[in-house]
Amino acid sequence: MKKIIFFTFFIFQLTAAQDRDSLFESLFEEEMRMDEQLLPQKMIFTQSLLWGKSGLFRKTGISKLSVKQREKELKVRNVMLKSHQILGYLTLGGMIAQGIMGGKLYNGEYELYETHKKLGRWVTASYFTGAGLSLFAPPPLIRNRVKGLNSIKAHKLLAYVHFSGMIATNAWSKEDRDWHKYAAYTTFVSYATAVLVFKF
């Protein structure tokens, strides 16, 4: 009788252990699926660095990956991208003023040099702050893949041009006046186009 009880108990424990393992596996799989849903499959490097599954904010516990936390992150993203847009318009206005002053400087109105230089610093700070707001914003829930060229893709492609152009414009500001001018024009045209593609 004892052997039957022991054997029954053994079978029960073995079945319970298998059920526990099965439950843990299903919970783990569910957690994995939840993680996949909470984060897009592809993120830009700067977003992955901070907000990815193994990103800095996840590892340090500043922003643990959960549904509630992702809701908060999406609100932060919204504020950051709206600020990026507002700074974009201000930066564009600053670039137009810079272009007008730069043209006058090339025509010999050297009294504008200090103003041009100060405004140039403001435009540079505004530009890179706006870029940072976009690059380091929390990622969206999903990234919709759209075939062909659309306004978002065009905006991103133009970013490569005006980002490089902004660096070149600053690098050549004291080295070579002509190259500084060409870089500034390239930056302005690509930047203005990047701003306008969202409107049309």
Side-chain angles (χ1 to χ4, degrees):
M1 184 70 178
K2 283 182 180 178
K3 285 182 181 179
I4 294 170
I5 292 169
F6 176 77
F7 183 73
T8 307
F9 181 75
F10 177 77
I11 295 293
F12 175 77
Q13 286 298 319
L14 188 65
T15 308
Q18 284 177 339
D19 286 345
R20 276 198 306 272
D21 287 346
S22 177
L23 178 65
F24 285 137
E25 274 179 37
S26 66
L27 285 171
F28 181 72
E29 282 172 13
E30 195 174 310
E31 189 181 322
M32 288 294 285
R33 283 196 299 275
M34 183 179 269
D35 283 355
E36 285 169 12
Q37 288 170 358
L38 291 176
L39 291 170
Q41 287 183 340
K42 287 187 178 181
M43 285 181 272
I44 57 173
F45 170 72
T46 48
Q47 288 176 334
S48 184
L49 184 73
L50 297 179
W51 307 99
K53 196 176 174 184
S54 302
L56 184 66
F57 290 161
R58 309 294 180 211
K59 283 184 176 178
T60 55
I62 293 170
S63 185
K64 290 182 179 178
L65 192 59
S66 67
V67 174
K68 275 192 174 182
Q69 191 57 39
R70 282 298 282 140
E71 284 173 3
K72 289 177 186 176
E73 286 172 20
L74 291 173
K75 286 176 185 175
V76 170
R77 174 182 170 79
N78 191 37
V79 171
M80 287 178 80
L81 293 182
K82 278 184 179 174
S83 302
H84 165 76
Q85 191 177 22
I86 292 163
L87 268 176
Y89 290 127
L90 291 172
T91 304
L92 183 61
M95 284 181 176
I96 291 166
Q98 276 289 81
I100 293 165
M101 271 192 274
K104 289 182 177 182
L105 275 168
Y106 276 93
N107 291 327
E109 294 183 40
Y110 299 117
E111 66 275 5
L112 293 170
Y113 177 74
E114 282 302 316
T115 309
H116 181 74
K117 197 164 112 176
K118 284 175 185 174
L119 185 58
R121 286 181 190 147
W122 181 88
V123 168
T124 301
S126 172
Y127 175 86
F128 284 109
T129 303
L133 286 167
S134 173
L135 291 170
F136 294 103
L141 274 179
I142 53 165
R143 290 198 185 278
N144 295 324
R145 286 190 172 185
V146 181
K147 288 182 180 179
L149 189 67
N150 60 20
S151 60
I152 294 170
K153 282 184 183 176
H155 186 78
K156 287 179 180 178
L157 288 170
L158 286 162
Y160 290 109
V161 180
H162 61 69
F163 192 88
S164 305
M166 182 57 84
I167 292 167
T169 302
N170 282 283
W172 282 319
S173 63
K174 291 177 183 175
E175 302 297 321
D176 191 312
R177 285 178 59 190
D178 289 333
W179 280 104
H180 170 72
K181 181 172 73 175
Y182 302 143
Y185 286 150
T186 304
T187 304
F188 171 73
V189 170
S190 56
Y191 190 80
T193 308
V195 171
L196 290 171
V197 290
F198 270 128
K199 283 291 181 188
F200 302 101

mmCIF file with all atom_site columns, all heavy atoms in Angstrom, residues 173-194:
data_model
loop_
_atom_site.group_PDB
_atom_site.id
_atom_site.type_symbol
_atom_site.label_atom_id
_atom_site.label_alt_id
_atom_site.label_comp_id
_atom_site.label_asym_id
_atom_site.label_entity_id
_atom_site.label_seq_id
_atom_site.pdbx_PDB_ins_code
_atom_site.Cartn_x
_atom_site.Cartn_y
_atom_site.Cartn_z
_atom_site.occupancy
_atom_site.B_iso_or_equiv
_atom_site.pdbx_formal_charge
_atom_site.auth_seq_id
_atom_site.auth_comp_id
_atom_site.auth_asym_id
_atom_site.auth_atom_id
_atom_site.pdbx_PDB_model_num
ATOM 1   N N   . SER A 1 173 ? 33.682 78.007 -41.301 1.00 0.00 ? 173 SER A N   1
ATOM 2   C CA  . SER A 1 173 ? 33.332 79.402 -41.013 1.00 0.00 ? 173 SER A CA  1
ATOM 3   C C   . SER A 1 173 ? 34.568 80.308 -40.924 1.00 0.00 ? 173 SER A C   1
ATOM 4   O O   . SER A 1 173 ? 34.499 81.480 -41.274 1.00 0.00 ? 173 SER A O   1
ATOM 5   C CB  . SER A 1 173 ? 32.518 79.500 -39.720 1.00 0.00 ? 173 SER A CB  1
ATOM 6   O OG  . SER A 1 173 ? 33.284 79.049 -38.624 1.00 0.00 ? 173 SER A OG  1
ATOM 7   N N   . LYS A 1 174 ? 35.684 79.767 -40.470 1.00 0.00 ? 174 LYS A N   1
ATOM 8   C CA  . LYS A 1 174 ? 36.920 80.568 -40.368 1.00 0.00 ? 174 LYS A CA  1
ATOM 9   C C   . LYS A 1 174 ? 37.985 80.112 -41.353 1.00 0.00 ? 174 LYS A C   1
ATOM 10  O O   . LYS A 1 174 ? 38.940 80.827 -41.615 1.00 0.00 ? 174 LYS A O   1
ATOM 11  C CB  . LYS A 1 174 ? 37.474 80.484 -38.944 1.00 0.00 ? 174 LYS A CB  1
ATOM 12  C CG  . LYS A 1 174 ? 36.595 81.192 -37.924 1.00 0.00 ? 174 LYS A CG  1
ATOM 13  C CD  . LYS A 1 174 ? 37.135 81.027 -36.527 1.00 0.00 ? 174 LYS A CD  1
ATOM 14  C CE  . LYS A 1 174 ? 36.204 81.682 -35.514 1.00 0.00 ? 174 LYS A CE  1
ATOM 15  N NZ  . LYS A 1 174 ? 36.641 81.437 -34.136 1.00 0.00 ? 174 LYS A NZ  1
ATOM 16  N N   . GLU A 1 175 ? 37.817 78.903 -41.897 1.00 0.00 ? 175 GLU A N   1
ATOM 17  C CA  . GLU A 1 175 ? 38.846 78.325 -42.772 1.00 0.00 ? 175 GLU A CA  1
ATOM 18  C C   . GLU A 1 175 ? 38.741 78.795 -44.226 1.00 0.00 ? 175 GLU A C   1
ATOM 19  O O   . GLU A 1 175 ? 39.739 79.171 -44.835 1.00 0.00 ? 175 GLU A O   1
ATOM 20  C CB  . GLU A 1 175 ? 38.755 76.789 -42.726 1.00 0.00 ? 175 GLU A CB  1
ATOM 21  C CG  . GLU A 1 175 ? 38.903 76.186 -41.347 1.00 0.00 ? 175 GLU A CG  1
ATOM 22  C CD  . GLU A 1 175 ? 40.261 76.440 -40.729 1.00 0.00 ? 175 GLU A CD  1
ATOM 23  O OE1 . GLU A 1 175 ? 41.267 76.378 -41.469 1.00 0.00 ? 175 GLU A OE1 1
ATOM 24  O OE2 . GLU A 1 175 ? 40.318 76.714 -39.523 1.00 0.00 ? 175 GLU A OE2 1
ATOM 25  N N   . ASP A 1 176 ? 37.530 78.750 -44.767 1.00 0.00 ? 176 ASP A N   1
ATOM 26  C CA  . ASP A 1 176 ? 37.352 79.043 -46.191 1.00 0.00 ? 176 ASP A CA  1
ATOM 27  C C   . ASP A 1 176 ? 35.977 79.681 -46.415 1.00 0.00 ? 176 ASP A C   1
ATOM 28  O O   . ASP A 1 176 ? 34.949 79.020 -46.281 1.00 0.00 ? 176 ASP A O   1
ATOM 29  C CB  . ASP A 1 176 ? 37.476 77.735 -46.992 1.00 0.00 ? 176 ASP A CB  1
ATOM 30  C CG  . ASP A 1 176 ? 37.572 77.976 -48.489 1.00 0.00 ? 176 ASP A CG  1
ATOM 31  O OD1 . ASP A 1 176 ? 36.750 78.746 -49.027 1.00 0.00 ? 176 ASP A OD1 1
ATOM 32  O OD2 . ASP A 1 176 ? 38.464 77.378 -49.118 1.00 0.00 ? 176 ASP A OD2 1
ATOM 33  N N   . ARG A 1 177 ? 35.958 80.947 -46.765 1.00 0.00 ? 177 ARG A N   1
ATOM 34  C CA  . ARG A 1 177 ? 34.704 81.689 -46.914 1.00 0.00 ? 177 ARG A CA  1
ATOM 35  C C   . ARG A 1 177 ? 33.802 81.109 -48.012 1.00 0.00 ? 177 ARG A C   1
ATOM 36  O O   . ARG A 1 177 ? 32.590 81.026 -47.850 1.00 0.00 ? 177 ARG A O   1
ATOM 37  C CB  . ARG A 1 177 ? 34.998 83.166 -47.226 1.00 0.00 ? 177 ARG A CB  1
ATOM 38  C CG  . ARG A 1 177 ? 35.484 83.950 -46.023 1.00 0.00 ? 177 ARG A CG  1
ATOM 39  C CD  . ARG A 1 177 ? 35.817 85.378 -46.392 1.00 0.00 ? 177 ARG A CD  1
ATOM 40  N NE  . ARG A 1 177 ? 34.655 86.067 -46.950 1.00 0.00 ? 177 ARG A NE  1
ATOM 41  C CZ  . ARG A 1 177 ? 34.709 87.252 -47.536 1.00 0.00 ? 177 ARG A CZ  1
ATOM 42  N NH1 . ARG A 1 177 ? 35.859 87.899 -47.662 1.00 0.00 ? 177 ARG A NH1 1
ATOM 43  N NH2 . ARG A 1 177 ? 33.600 87.819 -48.011 1.00 0.00 ? 177 ARG A NH2 1
ATOM 44  N N   . ASP A 1 178 ? 34.422 80.729 -49.132 1.00 0.00 ? 178 ASP A N   1
ATOM 45  C CA  . ASP A 1 178 ? 33.624 80.192 -50.243 1.00 0.00 ? 178 ASP A CA  1
ATOM 46  C C   . ASP A 1 178 ? 32.968 78.864 -49.882 1.00 0.00 ? 178 ASP A C   1
ATOM 47  O O   . ASP A 1 178 ? 31.772 78.669 -50.118 1.00 0.00 ? 178 ASP A O   1
ATOM 48  C CB  . ASP A 1 178 ? 34.483 80.027 -51.506 1.00 0.00 ? 178 ASP A CB  1
ATOM 49  C CG  . ASP A 1 178 ? 34.843 81.382 -52.123 1.00 0.00 ? 178 ASP A CG  1
ATOM 50  O OD1 . ASP A 1 178 ? 34.059 82.334 -51.931 1.00 0.00 ? 178 ASP A OD1 1
ATOM 51  O OD2 . ASP A 1 178 ? 35.892 81.471 -52.784 1.00 0.00 ? 178 ASP A OD2 1
ATOM 52  N N   . TRP A 1 179 ? 33.753 77.942 -49.311 1.00 0.00 ? 179 TRP A N   1
ATOM 53  C CA  . TRP A 1 179 ? 33.201 76.650 -48.926 1.00 0.00 ? 179 TRP A CA  1
ATOM 54  C C   . TRP A 1 179 ? 32.170 76.800 -47.806 1.00 0.00 ? 179 TRP A C   1
ATOM 55  O O   . TRP A 1 179 ? 31.187 76.053 -47.744 1.00 0.00 ? 179 TRP A O   1
ATOM 56  C CB  . TRP A 1 179 ? 34.310 75.673 -48.524 1.00 0.00 ? 179 TRP A CB  1
ATOM 57  C CG  . TRP A 1 179 ? 34.973 75.074 -49.721 1.00 0.00 ? 179 TRP A CG  1
ATOM 58  C CD1 . TRP A 1 179 ? 36.190 75.383 -50.235 1.00 0.00 ? 179 TRP A CD1 1
ATOM 59  C CD2 . TRP A 1 179 ? 34.412 74.074 -50.582 1.00 0.00 ? 179 TRP A CD2 1
ATOM 60  N NE1 . TRP A 1 179 ? 36.445 74.639 -51.368 1.00 0.00 ? 179 TRP A NE1 1
ATOM 61  C CE2 . TRP A 1 179 ? 35.372 73.822 -51.605 1.00 0.00 ? 179 TRP A CE2 1
ATOM 62  C CE3 . TRP A 1 179 ? 33.215 73.368 -50.602 1.00 0.00 ? 179 TRP A CE3 1
ATOM 63  C CZ2 . TRP A 1 179 ? 35.158 72.908 -52.622 1.00 0.00 ? 179 TRP A CZ2 1
ATOM 64  C CZ3 . TRP A 1 179 ? 32.995 72.451 -51.607 1.00 0.00 ? 179 TRP A CZ3 1
ATOM 65  C CH2 . TRP A 1 179 ? 33.958 72.223 -52.599 1.00 0.00 ? 179 TRP A CH2 1
ATOM 66  N N   . HIS A 1 180 ? 32.411 77.783 -46.927 1.00 0.00 ? 180 HIS A N   1
ATOM 67  C CA  . HIS A 1 180 ? 31.447 78.088 -45.863 1.00 0.00 ? 180 HIS A CA  1
ATOM 68  C C   . HIS A 1 180 ? 30.098 78.497 -46.484 1.00 0.00 ? 180 HIS A C   1
ATOM 69  O O   . HIS A 1 180 ? 29.040 78.036 -46.052 1.00 0.00 ? 180 HIS A O   1
ATOM 70  C CB  . HIS A 1 180 ? 31.997 79.220 -44.982 1.00 0.00 ? 180 HIS A CB  1
ATOM 71  C CG  . HIS A 1 180 ? 31.006 79.784 -44.018 1.00 0.00 ? 180 HIS A CG  1
ATOM 72  N ND1 . HIS A 1 180 ? 30.579 79.099 -42.898 1.00 0.00 ? 180 HIS A ND1 1
ATOM 73  C CD2 . HIS A 1 180 ? 30.346 80.979 -44.005 1.00 0.00 ? 180 HIS A CD2 1
ATOM 74  C CE1 . HIS A 1 180 ? 29.703 79.842 -42.243 1.00 0.00 ? 180 HIS A CE1 1
ATOM 75  N NE2 . HIS A 1 180 ? 29.545 80.992 -42.881 1.00 0.00 ? 180 HIS A NE2 1
ATOM 76  N N   . LYS A 1 181 ? 30.170 79.323 -47.499 1.00 0.00 ? 181 LYS A N   1
ATOM 77  C CA  . LYS A 1 181 ? 28.965 79.800 -48.185 1.00 0.00 ? 181 LYS A CA  1
ATOM 78  C C   . LYS A 1 181 ? 28.242 78.642 -48.875 1.00 0.00 ? 181 LYS A C   1
ATOM 79  O O   . LYS A 1 181 ? 27.022 78.498 -48.741 1.00 0.00 ? 181 LYS A O   1
ATOM 80  C CB  . LYS A 1 181 ? 29.343 80.877 -49.216 1.00 0.00 ? 181 LYS A CB  1
ATOM 81  C CG  . LYS A 1 181 ? 28.161 81.467 -49.974 1.00 0.00 ? 181 LYS A CG  1
ATOM 82  C CD  . LYS A 1 181 ? 28.563 82.661 -50.829 1.00 0.00 ? 181 LYS A CD  1
ATOM 83  C CE  . LYS A 1 181 ? 29.357 82.216 -52.041 1.00 0.00 ? 181 LYS A CE  1
ATOM 84  N NZ  . LYS A 1 181 ? 29.654 83.346 -52.958 1.00 0.00 ? 181 LYS A NZ  1
ATOM 85  N N   . TYR A 1 182 ? 28.988 77.793 -49.607 1.00 0.00 ? 182 TYR A N   1
ATOM 86  C CA  . TYR A 1 182 ? 28.375 76.663 -50.314 1.00 0.00 ? 182 TYR A CA  1
ATOM 87  C C   . TYR A 1 182 ? 27.720 75.686 -49.324 1.00 0.00 ? 182 TYR A C   1
ATOM 88  O O   . TYR A 1 182 ? 26.617 75.185 -49.565 1.00 0.00 ? 182 TYR A O   1
ATOM 89  C CB  . TYR A 1 182 ? 29.395 75.914 -51.168 1.00 0.00 ? 182 TYR A CB  1
ATOM 90  C CG  . TYR A 1 182 ? 30.092 76.768 -52.195 1.00 0.00 ? 182 TYR A CG  1
ATOM 91  C CD1 . TYR A 1 182 ? 31.439 76.568 -52.507 1.00 0.00 ? 182 TYR A CD1 1
ATOM 92  C CD2 . TYR A 1 182 ? 29.412 77.793 -52.857 1.00 0.00 ? 182 TYR A CD2 1
ATOM 93  C CE1 . TYR A 1 182 ? 32.090 77.356 -53.456 1.00 0.00 ? 182 TYR A CE1 1
ATOM 94  C CE2 . TYR A 1 182 ? 30.050 78.587 -53.806 1.00 0.00 ? 182 TYR A CE2 1
ATOM 95  C CZ  . TYR A 1 182 ? 31.385 78.371 -54.095 1.00 0.00 ? 182 TYR A CZ  1
ATOM 96  O OH  . TYR A 1 182 ? 32.013 79.160 -55.020 1.00 0.00 ? 182 TYR A OH  1
ATOM 97  N N   . ALA A 1 183 ? 28.424 75.433 -48.227 1.00 0.00 ? 183 ALA A N   1
ATOM 98  C CA  . ALA A 1 183 ? 27.892 74.516 -47.207 1.00 0.00 ? 183 ALA A CA  1
ATOM 99  C C   . ALA A 1 183 ? 26.631 75.103 -46.569 1.00 0.00 ? 183 ALA A C   1
ATOM 100 O O   . ALA A 1 183 ? 25.658 74.382 -46.327 1.00 0.00 ? 183 ALA A O   1
ATOM 101 C CB  . ALA A 1 183 ? 28.947 74.246 -46.138 1.00 0.00 ? 183 ALA A CB  1
ATOM 102 N N   . ALA A 1 184 ? 26.660 76.412 -46.323 1.00 0.00 ? 184 ALA A N   1
ATOM 103 C CA  . ALA A 1 184 ? 25.499 77.086 -45.717 1.00 0.00 ? 184 ALA A CA  1
ATOM 104 C C   . ALA A 1 184 ? 24.288 77.022 -46.640 1.00 0.00 ? 184 ALA A C   1
ATOM 105 O O   . ALA A 1 184 ? 23.166 76.751 -46.189 1.00 0.00 ? 184 ALA A O   1
ATOM 106 C CB  . ALA A 1 184 ? 25.848 78.538 -45.386 1.00 0.00 ? 184 ALA A CB  1
ATOM 107 N N   . TYR A 1 185 ? 24.488 77.261 -47.935 1.00 0.00 ? 185 TYR A N   1
ATOM 108 C CA  . TYR A 1 185 ? 23.383 77.195 -48.904 1.00 0.00 ? 185 TYR A CA  1
ATOM 109 C C   . TYR A 1 185 ? 22.811 75.781 -48.999 1.00 0.00 ? 185 TYR A C   1
ATOM 110 O O   . TYR A 1 185 ? 21.599 75.583 -49.040 1.00 0.00 ? 185 TYR A O   1
ATOM 111 C CB  . TYR A 1 185 ? 23.829 77.670 -50.292 1.00 0.00 ? 185 TYR A CB  1
ATOM 112 C CG  . TYR A 1 185 ? 24.003 79.168 -50.417 1.00 0.00 ? 185 TYR A CG  1
ATOM 113 C CD1 . TYR A 1 185 ? 24.931 79.712 -51.302 1.00 0.00 ? 185 TYR A CD1 1
ATOM 114 C CD2 . TYR A 1 185 ? 23.240 80.055 -49.650 1.00 0.00 ? 185 TYR A CD2 1
ATOM 115 C CE1 . TYR A 1 185 ? 25.102 81.094 -51.418 1.00 0.00 ? 185 TYR A CE1 1
ATOM 116 C CE2 . TYR A 1 185 ? 23.397 81.431 -49.770 1.00 0.00 ? 185 TYR A CE2 1
ATOM 117 C CZ  . TYR A 1 185 ? 24.333 81.951 -50.644 1.00 0.00 ? 185 TYR A CZ  1
ATOM 118 O OH  . TYR A 1 185 ? 24.481 83.307 -50.752 1.00 0.00 ? 185 TYR A OH  1
ATOM 119 N N   . THR A 1 186 ? 23.718 74.795 -49.034 1.00 0.00 ? 186 THR A N   1
ATOM 120 C CA  . THR A 1 186 ? 23.296 73.385 -49.098 1.00 0.00 ? 186 THR A CA  1
ATOM 121 C C   . THR A 1 186 ? 22.482 73.016 -47.855 1.00 0.00 ? 186 THR A C   1
ATOM 122 O O   . THR A 1 186 ? 21.436 72.367 -47.947 1.00 0.00 ? 186 THR A O   1
ATOM 123 C CB  . THR A 1 186 ? 24.519 72.446 -49.216 1.00 0.00 ? 186 THR A CB  1
ATOM 124 O OG1 . THR A 1 186 ? 25.292 72.833 -50.353 1.00 0.00 ? 186 THR A OG1 1
ATOM 125 C CG2 . THR A 1 186 ? 24.107 70.994 -49.343 1.00 0.00 ? 186 THR A CG2 1
ATOM 126 N N   . THR A 1 187 ? 22.985 73.459 -46.695 1.00 0.00 ? 187 THR A N   1
ATOM 127 C CA  . THR A 1 187 ? 22.297 73.184 -45.430 1.00 0.00 ? 187 THR A CA  1
ATOM 128 C C   . THR A 1 187 ? 20.916 73.821 -45.433 1.00 0.00 ? 187 THR A C   1
ATOM 129 O O   . THR A 1 187 ? 19.916 73.173 -45.087 1.00 0.00 ? 187 THR A O   1
ATOM 130 C CB  . THR A 1 187 ? 23.111 73.720 -44.234 1.00 0.00 ? 187 THR A CB  1
ATOM 131 O OG1 . THR A 1 187 ? 24.415 73.141 -44.278 1.00 0.00 ? 187 THR A OG1 1
ATOM 132 C CG2 . THR A 1 187 ? 22.454 73.381 -42.909 1.00 0.00 ? 187 THR A CG2 1
ATOM 133 N N   . PHE A 1 188 ? 20.859 75.096 -45.840 1.00 0.00 ? 188 PHE A N   1
ATOM 134 C CA  . PHE A 1 188 ? 19.578 75.812 -45.831 1.00 0.00 ? 188 PHE A CA  1
ATOM 135 C C   . PHE A 1 188 ? 18.547 75.161 -46.760 1.00 0.00 ? 188 PHE A C   1
ATOM 136 O O   . PHE A 1 188 ? 17.410 74.922 -46.366 1.00 0.00 ? 188 PHE A O   1
ATOM 137 C CB  . PHE A 1 188 ? 19.767 77.283 -46.220 1.00 0.00 ? 188 PHE A CB  1
ATOM 138 C CG  . PHE A 1 188 ? 18.457 77.998 -46.425 1.00 0.00 ? 188 PHE A CG  1
ATOM 139 C CD1 . PHE A 1 188 ? 17.664 78.326 -45.336 1.00 0.00 ? 188 PHE A CD1 1
ATOM 140 C CD2 . PHE A 1 188 ? 17.996 78.295 -47.698 1.00 0.00 ? 188 PHE A CD2 1
ATOM 141 C CE1 . PHE A 1 188 ? 16.439 78.955 -45.514 1.00 0.00 ? 188 PHE A CE1 1
ATOM 142 C CE2 . PHE A 1 188 ? 16.779 78.926 -47.889 1.00 0.00 ? 188 PHE A CE2 1
ATOM 143 C CZ  . PHE A 1 188 ? 15.989 79.254 -46.791 1.00 0.00 ? 188 PHE A CZ  1
ATOM 144 N N   . VAL A 1 189 ? 18.965 74.862 -47.997 1.00 0.00 ? 189 VAL A N   1
ATOM 145 C CA  . VAL A 1 189 ? 18.030 74.288 -48.985 1.00 0.00 ? 189 VAL A CA  1
ATOM 146 C C   . VAL A 1 189 ? 17.522 72.924 -48.511 1.00 0.00 ? 189 VAL A C   1
ATOM 147 O O   . VAL A 1 189 ? 16.312 72.659 -48.547 1.00 0.00 ? 189 VAL A O   1
ATOM 148 C CB  . VAL A 1 189 ? 18.692 74.182 -50.386 1.00 0.00 ? 189 VAL A CB  1
ATOM 149 C CG1 . VAL A 1 189 ? 17.825 73.377 -51.340 1.00 0.00 ? 189 VAL A CG1 1
ATOM 150 C CG2 . VAL A 1 189 ? 18.944 75.571 -50.957 1.00 0.00 ? 189 VAL A CG2 1
ATOM 151 N N   . SER A 1 190 ? 18.428 72.066 -48.052 1.00 0.00 ? 190 SER A N   1
ATOM 152 C CA  . SER A 1 190 ? 18.011 70.726 -47.604 1.00 0.00 ? 190 SER A CA  1
ATOM 153 C C   . SER A 1 190 ? 17.174 70.803 -46.330 1.00 0.00 ? 190 SER A C   1
ATOM 154 O O   . SER A 1 190 ? 16.199 70.057 -46.161 1.00 0.00 ? 190 SER A O   1
ATOM 155 C CB  . SER A 1 190 ? 19.229 69.817 -47.391 1.00 0.00 ? 190 SER A CB  1
ATOM 156 O OG  . SER A 1 190 ? 20.136 70.400 -46.476 1.00 0.00 ? 190 SER A OG  1
ATOM 157 N N   . TYR A 1 191 ? 17.517 71.729 -45.443 1.00 0.00 ? 191 TYR A N   1
ATOM 158 C CA  . TYR A 1 191 ? 16.776 71.888 -44.187 1.00 0.00 ? 191 TYR A CA  1
ATOM 159 C C   . TYR A 1 191 ? 15.370 72.438 -44.451 1.00 0.00 ? 191 TYR A C   1
ATOM 160 O O   . TYR A 1 191 ? 14.382 71.933 -43.916 1.00 0.00 ? 191 TYR A O   1
ATOM 161 C CB  . TYR A 1 191 ? 17.543 72.810 -43.239 1.00 0.00 ? 191 TYR A CB  1
ATOM 162 C CG  . TYR A 1 191 ? 16.976 72.848 -41.839 1.00 0.00 ? 191 TYR A CG  1
ATOM 163 C CD1 . TYR A 1 191 ? 17.252 71.832 -40.930 1.00 0.00 ? 191 TYR A CD1 1
ATOM 164 C CD2 . TYR A 1 191 ? 16.169 73.893 -41.414 1.00 0.00 ? 191 TYR A CD2 1
ATOM 165 C CE1 . TYR A 1 191 ? 16.743 71.850 -39.642 1.00 0.00 ? 191 TYR A CE1 1
ATOM 166 C CE2 . TYR A 1 191 ? 15.643 73.919 -40.130 1.00 0.00 ? 191 TYR A CE2 1
ATOM 167 C CZ  . TYR A 1 191 ? 15.943 72.901 -39.252 1.00 0.00 ? 191 TYR A CZ  1
ATOM 168 O OH  . TYR A 1 191 ? 15.427 72.927 -37.975 1.00 0.00 ? 191 TYR A OH  1
ATOM 169 N N   . ALA A 1 192 ? 15.289 73.478 -45.279 1.00 0.00 ? 192 ALA A N   1
ATOM 170 C CA  . ALA A 1 192 ? 13.995 74.076 -45.623 1.00 0.00 ? 192 ALA A CA  1
ATOM 171 C C   . ALA A 1 192 ? 13.092 73.041 -46.304 1.00 0.00 ? 192 ALA A C   1
ATOM 172 O O   . ALA A 1 192 ? 11.896 72.953 -46.005 1.00 0.00 ? 192 ALA A O   1
ATOM 173 C CB  . ALA A 1 192 ? 14.192 75.282 -46.533 1.00 0.00 ? 192 ALA A CB  1
ATOM 174 N N   . THR A 1 193 ? 13.679 72.233 -47.176 1.00 0.00 ? 193 THR A N   1
ATOM 175 C CA  . THR A 1 193 ? 12.908 71.186 -47.862 1.00 0.00 ? 193 THR A CA  1
ATOM 176 C C   . THR A 1 193 ? 12.420 70.142 -46.861 1.00 0.00 ? 193 THR A C   1
ATOM 177 O O   . THR A 1 193 ? 11.273 69.688 -46.936 1.00 0.00 ? 193 THR A O   1
ATOM 178 C CB  . THR A 1 193 ? 13.759 70.511 -48.961 1.00 0.00 ? 193 THR A CB  1
ATOM 179 O OG1 . THR A 1 193 ? 14.319 71.522 -49.804 1.00 0.00 ? 193 THR A OG1 1
ATOM 180 C CG2 . THR A 1 193 ? 12.944 69.558 -49.807 1.00 0.00 ? 193 THR A CG2 1
ATOM 181 N N   . ALA A 1 194 ? 13.292 69.774 -45.907 1.00 0.00 ? 194 ALA A N   1
ATOM 182 C CA  . ALA A 1 194 ? 12.921 68.801 -44.878 1.00 0.00 ? 194 ALA A CA  1
ATOM 183 C C   . ALA A 1 194 ? 11.766 69.300 -44.023 1.00 0.00 ? 194 ALA A C   1
ATOM 184 O O   . ALA A 1 194 ? 10.887 68.529 -43.628 1.00 0.00 ? 194 ALA A O   1
ATOM 185 C CB  . ALA A 1 194 ? 14.123 68.483 -43.990 1.00 0.00 ? 194 ALA A CB  1
#
